[in-house]
Amino acid sequence: MPAELTSFVGRTRLLANLKRHLSESNLVTVTGIGGVGKSRTVLRLAHQVRSQFADGVWFADLARLQDAGMVKNTIASALGVADQSARGESESLSEWVGDRDMLLILDTCEHLIEGCAELIDELLHSNPRLKILATSRQSLHLPYEHVVPVPPLAVPGDNPDENLFTNESVQLFAARAGAVVPDFVLDEQNIGAVAELCRRLDGIPLAIELAAVRLRALSVDQILGLLTDRFSLLA
């Protein structure tokens, strides 16, 4: 599995929901729009549950694949399956998986739906102990699949009783801002601008993280001003 290179913020309820579905189903597909944090959420979950799988957790990144015919090869490479020549990739992969107690993560399946679904169906029918966790912008359309959508982070105002400083979107911005500008702190002077920025970005984690990077050259108010001007132009 890839290492977690950044801190994970929020998603407590979503992670608990994913754990429950993973315990009940052999296939869980995490869906959502681009930038909403599907891959990051699944990676956090994988690190939390890795001790539950005697034969480990394995991660295959399919994002760069353009040819559905390479799905099996990419997964086999991620699993370290060396011999694929004599009997074909599919048979060799199924035999390697065997009856292993393992979790296989297939990240970014949306552009390879048919190929991924076909291989998943084959692997799960050959090993009832195998668990598969997939990320995709859409369902894999398998009858036993549990689909769990990943929503944007909560933004200030979603819960009128919530303290702005404890809001998920605000905390994510603060965490990433602190990595870019070490002396950055949330305070009464900037909390209003940060909260409005997170609202403008609809709680999309990738957008919030990219905005935080701009603090190298701009203040929060300047970033918000530029964002407001662009939305006005689009309107």
Side-chain angles (χ1 to χ4, degrees):
M1 277 194 302
E4 294 184 285
L5 300 179
T6 57
S7 59
F8 190 85
V9 177
R11 306 291 202 191
T12 304
R13 187 173 299 176
L14 174 61
L15 286 169
N17 190 32
L18 282 169
K19 286 179 184 177
R20 179 174 59 82
H21 281 296
L22 194 60
S23 68
E24 298 170 349
S25 174
N26 289 81
L27 172 62
V28 176
T29 303
V30 177
T31 62
I33 61 174
V36 81
K38 300 182 295 296
S39 299
R40 186 66 182 87
T41 300
V42 162
L43 186 60
R44 175 85 288 261
L45 176 67
H47 279 277
Q48 289 182 346
V49 303
R50 63 190 309 173
S51 63
Q52 300 175 17
F53 296 91
D55 294 302
V57 178
W58 303 79
F59 187 96
D61 183 1
L62 308 180
R64 297 176 183 271
L65 288 187
Q66 299 299 321
D67 181 2
M70 292 298 292
V71 171
K72 293 174 183 176
N73 181 268
T74 301
I75 295 172
S77 296
L79 294 173
V81 180
D83 179 19
Q84 304 167 35
S85 56
R87 293 160 296 174
E89 296 168 0
S90 181
E91 183 180 352
S92 178
L93 185 58
S94 296
E95 288 186 0
W96 188 92
V97 170
D99 63 349
R100 282 181 164 89
D101 177 19
M102 58 181 280
L103 171 63
L104 173 61
I105 298 171
L106 303 182
D107 191 34
T108 315
C109 298
E110 60 265 10
H111 58 306
L112 303 161
I113 292 293
E114 187 174 340
C116 288
E118 181 181 335
L119 180 59
I120 287 171
D121 194 55
E122 183 178 325
L123 291 176
L124 290 179
H125 275 94
S126 65
N127 179 4
R129 301 176 69 195
L130 174 65
K131 299 277 187 176
I132 295 179
L133 192 55
T135 72
S136 175
R137 295 189 186 186
Q138 59 180 301
S139 164
L140 299 176
H141 308 299
L142 289 167
Y144 45 79
E145 171 187 31
H146 279 218
V147 178
V148 180
V150 176
L153 294 171
V155 298
D158 283 351
N159 180 359
D161 299 324
E162 182 184 46
N163 186 313
L164 289 181
F165 288 91
T166 61
N167 174 263
E168 283 185 334
S169 294
V170 170
Q171 287 189 333
L172 177 62
F173 182 88
R176 301 300 180 258
V180 174
V181 182
D183 60 351
F184 178 86
V185 292
L186 280 176
D187 55 32
E188 295 296 339
Q189 292 183 328
N190 62 25
I191 186 63
V194 171
E196 180 60 22
L197 180 62
C198 292
R199 277 193 292 266
R200 291 275 182 166
L201 296 174
D202 295 325
I204 303 298
L206 180 59
I208 292 171
E209 291 179 340
L210 292 175
V213 170
R214 299 296 298 274
L215 288 177
R216 290 177 178 145
L218 302 170
S219 69
V220 177
D221 287 320
Q222 287 172 323
I223 296 171
L224 181 59
L226 288 171
L227 192 62
T228 301
D229 289 344
R230 287 172 184 171
F231 275 125
S232 297
L233 177 63
L234 289 173

